[in-house]
Amino acid sequence: MALSPYVQAMQELFRANTRSREFPAHGAKVHSVAWSCCGRRLASGSFDKTASVFLLEKDRLGRPPGIGRAGVKENNYRGHGDSVDQLCWHPSNPDLFVTASGDKTIRIWDVRTTKCIATVNTKGENINICWSPDGQTIAVGNKDDVVTFIDAKTHRSKAEEQFKFEVNEISWNNDNNMFFLTNGNGCINILRQVPVAAGYPELKPIQSINAHPSNCICIKFDPMGKYFATGSADALVSLWDVDELVCVRCFSRLDWPVRTLSFSHDGKMLASASEDHFIDIAEVETGEKLWEVQCESPTFTVAWHPKRPLLAFACDDKDGKYDSSREAGTVKLFGLP
């Protein structure tokens, strides 16, 4: 079958830039990477209890001009008392990001002041977080399967939901009217936001989809609003039609549980990663392998740039299988010239 012009163009680009660039970010392994909505900054959260933010200047990560050599952090954000397990940026404000930590708090940071502008106490050790597409609400999930909804302006808890199953990753749909959870039973749970006379909308369960035969770990929506994807302990990635809620295809090139997913800015590529020593990049519409990014250890987190074919990721650098002396805590970029 002839390759599409898009696939040919991407393969040529990646063939010309096969080497991943590494940037020291933390003193311990990196759990999460995420780009700001404008794509100028990349944030990372780590087991070392900190978050780091890099500035993307032209084709490299570094400090703003005059502040230091390229390839080093713009700033480091300290304050959490435990591992920063996940972070995300405000969907439309490129200056704000939020971190979720095992210290039972979330923190909202402003890169203009490099300060924490709010610390919100939660009831458990936090492991996942997302910001609603309208920017008004932050949802955070903890190890006790409680999801707390926090007002992004007042920094107060608006609602709390205790679930009777293992909650893994959480996400709103692009239209901001439904809330999705992946769970330990292999299901995707969908809740609809129902307006009430006063206060935060109620979340009404509307559907539970049996998506995988084992633990459903991660979920991502594509920027175009056409699909969402889930990754599972069965080593499969499944692609779902947003409107019909049916699985349209599966990607099966990984051999280990799928930990992390990311759609490219144009919705045409899907990156998925696991303990396999490569990141699979698939063409969304055909499921065909577009590229493999070689890694020397398991990959925890991947994130496509919001405007260009540039992939950020982080691996378990301290994997003793190949080089235990290697420095931990690096952020990597694939696709830079």
Side-chain angles (χ1 to χ4, degrees):
M1 186 176 68
L3 297 176
S4 70
Y6 178 85
V7 169
Q8 289 179 337
M10 288 300 102
Q11 288 183 341
E12 285 178 19
L13 174 70
F14 296 151
R15 202 172 287 119
N17 306 292
T18 56
R19 189 171 67 89
S20 296
R21 307 283 186 89
E22 296 189 0
F23 301 89
H26 296 277
K29 62 187 176 184
V30 178
H31 287 310
S32 182
V33 293
W35 293 98
S36 61
C37 59
C38 64
R40 286 198 67 222
R41 288 184 168 87
L42 177 69
S44 57
S46 168
F47 185 74
D48 71 2
K49 308 177 186 178
T50 72
S52 291
V53 172
F54 290 90
L55 194 68
L56 184 66
E57 282 290 320
K58 294 183 179 176
D59 286 323
R60 60 200 311 181
L61 289 178
R63 294 181 184 232
I67 297 184
R69 60 190 176 87
V72 292
K73 294 186 292 291
E74 182 189 16
N75 276 302
N76 194 242
Y77 294 78
R78 301 178 180 275
H80 279 299
D82 204 341
S83 170
V84 177
D85 278 3
Q86 204 171 51
L87 55 78
C88 63
W89 290 84
H90 188 287
S92 56
N93 184 335
D95 298 318
L96 300 180
F97 71 98
V98 61
T99 49
S101 171
D103 66 4
K104 300 184 180 181
T105 70
I106 70 163
R107 286 174 176 254
I108 303 173
W109 309 86
D110 190 326
V111 298
R112 293 166 297 188
T113 62
T114 72
K115 288 184 170 60
C116 173
I117 59 172
T119 301
V120 183
N121 293 308
T122 59
K123 290 185 176 178
E125 297 176 44
N126 301 310
I127 55 173
N128 47 52
I129 196 162
C130 61
W131 211 312
S132 63
D134 64 7
Q136 295 182 13
T137 310
I138 297 165
V140 57
N142 67 31
K143 288 184 177 178
D144 299 318
D145 308 315
V146 174
V147 178
T148 303
F149 296 87
I150 295 160
D151 188 305
K153 287 191 174 67
T154 66
H155 310 135
R156 297 176 185 273
S157 173
K158 297 199 276 193
E160 207 173 74
E161 294 276 344
Q162 170 74 65
F163 293 93
K164 295 179 180 178
F165 47 74
E166 176 187 317
V167 174
N168 292 319
E169 207 157 66
I170 54 179
S171 179
W172 274 272
N173 64 341
N174 294 15
D175 291 336
N176 205 92
N177 61 354
M178 290 193 287
F179 192 73
F180 287 63
L181 310 93
T182 57
N183 76 30
N185 302 322
C187 295
I188 305 164
N189 291 85
I190 307 170
L191 301 93
R192 184 181 295 279
Q193 293 188 173
V194 180
V196 293
Y200 188 68
E202 287 184 16
L203 289 168
K204 299 286 188 185
I206 60 167
Q207 194 159 353
S208 178
I209 302 171
N210 292 315
H212 293 270
S214 56
N215 197 340
C216 192
I217 298 170
C218 47
I219 184 168
K220 280 291 182 297
F221 283 79
D222 97 77
M224 303 295 109
K226 186 177 182 181
Y227 299 118
F228 67 91
T230 57
S232 168
D234 62 11
L236 293 176
V237 175
S238 54
L239 184 74
W240 299 80
D241 182 288
V242 165
D243 296 325
E244 302 295 329
L245 296 177
V246 294
C247 181
V248 293
R249 68 185 54 89
C250 285
F251 308 84
S252 58
R253 286 180 288 272
L254 297 170
D255 291 325
W256 292 87
V258 182
R259 294 179 173 184
T260 177
L261 299 164
S262 182
F263 283 95
S264 58
H265 69 286
D266 54 10
K268 293 182 178 180
M269 293 186 288
L270 177 62
S272 54
S274 65
E275 290 182 47
D276 291 271
H277 288 194
F278 67 90
I279 299 167
D280 182 72
I281 299 179
E283 185 187 24
V284 170
E285 288 297 344
T286 64
E288 295 295 319
K289 181 172 81 170
L290 194 151
W291 199 260
E292 260 183 25
V293 181
Q294 296 302 314
C295 309
E296 294 170 308
S297 54
T299 302
F300 290 120
T301 176
V302 296
W304 282 108
H305 188 275
K307 295 183 179 179
R308 54 189 281 199
L310 176 62
L311 186 71
F313 63 101
C315 302
D316 187 356
D317 297 319
K318 281 291 187 182
D319 187 356
K321 292 175 188 171
Y322 70 103
D323 183 3
S324 59
S325 66
R326 189 182 184 88
E327 183 183 1
T330 57
V331 169
K332 300 175 175 65
L333 287 185
F334 172 75
L336 282 180

